[in-house]
Amino acid sequence: MSSIELKTKWLENYKTAPAQLEKMGEINGLISAFNANVDAVIKVNGKGIQNLIAENNLNTDLILGEGENNIRCNEDAIRGFLNCFKNGIAEEWLIEDVDVFEWLNKNVGYDKMQMGGQGGIVANVMAVCGVNSVYVHCASAPKDQSKLFLDLPNLLTNDENGEIKQASKVDRSSDLALIHWIIEFDKGDSISLNGKTYVCPKANRFIATYDPLNFKLHIDGNFANRMSQNDINPEYIILSGYQMLHESLRDGTKGTDRIDFSKAMIAKWRESCPDSLLHLEVASTQNKVIRKYLIDNLVESVDSLGFNERELIDILEVIGEDELAQKCEENTNSSNLFEGMLKIREYTNCSRMQLHMFGLYLTLQEKGFSVSPLQNRNGMQLAATVAAAKAGTGAIDKKEVLLWAKDHEVSEVGLNELSRLSATVTNLFGDNQLLETGIFTNEKLEIIAVPTILIDKPVTLVGMGDTISSVSLVGAR
């Protein structure tokens, strides 16, 4: 088939998206846990940072000096920003002192606030897609944070008394907002300090995070107790937030102990709904001890894993597949990444896993999984449509926006990756129709692949992976 013929074929496949979206309204309950926070976004320029330094009499020697990648004083916050600015890179540093948090709040501020954290983003997406009851865990829920949830009656969390209420209307006033400052800067901008000028080589961002609760995977006791009661009965539980854990926490607790605690609690949630599907969004887990422990000890309890290219490579690194990890790093394509998925499946024996990469979504699952290959494909096509709407419009806060991209063609990039995958599957398992149907099965495995819709000039890419993973699974009805 020619490229034009394939695009026509996939446009026909994608016609199921509106029906799949309506089916999401048949889902009674879903839990999204654990991390929700405020993303405070601000665009800065070099001159403004210079003025900030001068007006606050900051010590430029400290700003230009070496140190750990964390924030204990005001100068550390500017040091972290300058490191990203002069190298054109993105990093996230933890604010360890509340006084610095208050100083940033007063002196840096923000241009806009938006929902952050995989748990919060997934909850908003699931609610606007029509799931009847979406229960979102909030380690903290003051008014300024809660108002970032969509104003929808099906999006729920607990108040300070443990009562379930509409999330956007909850005000646990004694809680402190958990803020991740996303400080953006532009290519070509410059900063002059101590007689030296630094020019930014690439637009990027520095994230300064004050989030003491999510960094220790704090779990609200009222929420945990309420979710274990028989009237909740979630059909899906979507987990995230583990990526912020470290091997040793500031209070002396082990990060692995927090994983074990959550695992026992989730088992209790599932007692009333043993058929619920449990999905873990892996996310970028920097600490290798935590990453390995998640793969070895939490994944055995989950039904589904979600990750992007980078996160797949990170997993390979901790399961003894360094050579394949390097191969994927050097040539990040669907063929190499599929080999990586096969190795992860062999190591974890996880029933379902999904990769979202640039241009292609790929699901690998055991034969006879509770969600059929066709259902998976339909869910993935809906996810691609919703993700394109998010990229193209900047927000998916109303149901009528969700299908904005439904008549867009799939990308050439996606078809090329699908072709490469099809050739690899042929070599490993035999002839297939992946290019035309996106589905291949044998006596052991089911492979589902969907070329995606790409938007040339996206308004936003924030939260894209969380949107893709959650809609792919929950939209597969």
Side-chain angles (χ1 to χ4, degrees):
M1 270 191 190
S2 69
S3 175
I4 293 173
E5 290 172 323
L6 283 173
K7 286 184 178 181
T8 301
K9 174 64 177 172
W10 278 99
L11 196 60
E12 187 67 27
N13 291 342
Y14 264 74
K15 286 184 178 179
T16 60
Q20 292 304 122
L21 181 60
E22 289 307 309
K23 287 179 182 179
M24 289 185 72
E26 300 170 4
I27 299 164
N28 291 320
L30 178 148
I31 297 173
S32 181
F34 292 98
N35 58 329
N37 58 262
V38 176
D39 279 351
V41 183
I42 184 168
K43 173 68 72 69
V44 301
N45 57 54
K47 189 64 175 177
I49 294 297
Q50 287 176 215
N51 292 338
L52 180 69
I53 292 169
E55 290 166 3
N56 289 271
N57 297 311
L58 298 183
N59 186 329
T60 53
D61 290 335
L62 292 177
I63 292 169
L64 294 169
E66 299 294 325
E68 296 180 9
N69 289 5
N70 50 36
I71 300 172
R72 297 192 177 107
C73 65
N74 299 341
E75 284 85 357
D76 283 340
I78 307 304
R79 179 170 60 87
F81 167 81
L82 181 63
N83 181 60
C84 291
F85 181 93
K86 69 183 183 182
N87 294 301
I89 60 175
E91 290 187 344
E92 181 174 10
W93 289 18
L94 172 62
I95 300 168
E96 297 188 3
D97 191 305
V98 68
D99 291 336
V100 182
F101 163 79
E102 291 171 351
W103 180 79
L104 283 169
N105 210 16
K106 178 182 178 182
N107 293 281
V108 177
Y110 51 85
D111 296 326
K112 63 178 179 178
M113 297 174 74
Q114 60 193 33
M115 177 55 66
Q118 289 91 346
I121 292 168
V122 166
N124 272 345
V125 172
M126 293 294 98
V128 76
C129 284
V131 173
N132 285 303
S133 295
V134 178
Y135 304 96
V136 57
H137 173 266
C138 298
S140 185
K143 184 178 181 180
D144 281 348
Q145 187 160 317
S146 295
K147 68 183 182 183
L148 300 176
F149 287 114
L150 297 178
D151 184 13
L152 294 171
N154 58 330
L155 180 48
L156 309 163
T157 194
N158 59 285
D159 64 14
E160 65 275 13
N161 299 315
E163 296 297 317
I164 294 295
K165 301 283 179 63
Q166 182 173 325
S168 64
K169 300 184 185 304
V170 167
D171 180 13
R172 290 170 9 201
S173 56
S174 61
D175 290 357
L176 185 67
L178 306 174
I179 297 184
H180 296 214
W181 268 280
I182 301 176
I183 305 171
E184 300 178 328
F185 46 85
D186 288 329
K187 177 182 179 180
D189 196 5
S190 63
I191 295 175
S192 296
L193 292 175
N194 288 8
K196 185 172 181 179
T197 298
Y198 302 91
V199 179
C200 178
K202 179 184 176 184
N204 223 312
R205 60 188 183 174
F206 171 62
I207 303 176
T209 295
Y210 184 75
D211 197 344
L213 297 181
N214 283 323
F215 269 91
K216 62 181 181 181
L217 200 75
H218 171 80
I219 299 172
D220 183 84
N222 286 327
F223 184 89
N225 293 334
R226 190 67 183 85
M227 292 304 101
S228 65
Q229 294 176 20
N230 290 337
D231 61 322
I232 300 298
N233 289 317
E235 294 171 53
Y236 298 88
I237 302 172
I238 299 179
L239 303 177
S240 59
Y242 295 94
Q243 74 274 10
M244 291 190 278
L245 286 171
H246 289 270
E247 186 177 356
S248 296
L249 309 183
R250 292 190 72 189
D251 63 2
T253 306
K254 290 183 178 180
T256 54
D257 289 342
R258 297 302 299 158
I259 296 171
D260 290 341
F261 177 82
S262 72
K263 183 178 175 181
M265 184 189 62
I266 293 159
K268 193 171 183 181
W269 291 355
R270 299 182 84 185
E271 286 178 2
S272 63
C273 48
D275 295 330
S276 62
L277 280 176
L278 180 61
H279 174 86
L280 171 64
E281 194 62 15
V282 174
S284 181
T285 307
Q286 295 303 307
N287 186 281
K288 286 190 175 182
V289 172
I290 295 298
R291 194 190 313 162
K292 180 75 158 57
Y293 198 83
L294 284 170
I295 298 304
D296 287 350
N297 293 277
L298 184 61
V299 170
E300 66 184 12
S301 300
V302 308
D303 304 297
S304 175
L305 278 179
F307 39 70
N308 64 19
E309 306 99 312
R310 177 69 258 168
E311 293 150 7
L312 184 153
I313 294 168
D314 287 346
I315 295 171
L316 292 175
E317 288 177 351
V318 296
I319 64 170
E321 296 291 342
D322 294 317
E323 188 175 328
L324 182 54
Q326 185 175 350
K327 181 181 175 183
C328 291
E329 183 93 62
E330 293 172 353
N331 197 350
T332 310
N333 59 44
S334 60
S335 176
N336 291 339
L337 293 169
F338 177 64
E339 288 184 35
M341 292 178 75
L342 289 173
K343 289 295 184 182
I344 294 170
R345 183 181 184 276
E346 181 182 320
Y347 184 90
T348 64
N349 203 32
C350 186
S351 300
R352 177 189 184 271
M353 55 185 66
Q354 185 180 41
L355 165 71
H356 45 272
M357 63 176 293
F358 187 67
L360 188 75
Y361 305 158
L362 172 58
T363 297
L364 174 66
Q365 63 184 30
E366 67 181 10
K367 181 77 170 180
F369 187 71
S370 59
V371 181
S372 74
L374 182 59
Q375 287 174 317
N376 262 295
R377 191 188 75 181
N378 290 344
M380 292 157 70
Q381 289 169 168
L382 174 61
T385 304
V386 172
K390 184 180 180 76
T393 68
I396 45 173
D397 51 1
K398 295 180 176 61
K399 193 165 186 176
E400 50 266 33
V401 178
L402 297 173
L403 297 175
W404 174 85
K406 71 179 180 67
D407 295 319
H408 285 53
E409 289 185 335
V410 298
S411 66
E412 198 73 33
V413 172
L415 288 176
N416 289 339
E417 290 293 353
L418 183 57
S419 178
R420 186 178 281 114
L421 173 69
S422 177
T424 300
V425 171
T426 298
N427 289 337
L428 293 173
F429 303 115
D431 292 340
N432 60 81
Q433 299 296 313
L434 279 169
L435 260 175
E436 295 85 6
T437 69
I439 295 173
F440 171 82
T441 66
N442 62 20
E443 66 280 0
K444 292 182 179 179
L445 296 174
E446 297 174 344
I447 301 166
I448 309 96
V450 169
T452 72
I453 300 164
L454 294 178
I455 303 301
D456 287 337
K457 295 181 180 179
V459 178
T460 182
L461 295 175
V462 175
M464 197 64 75
D466 315 314
T467 300
I468 294 163
S469 283
S470 57
V471 177
S472 290
L473 179 61
V474 183
R477 306 287 287 176

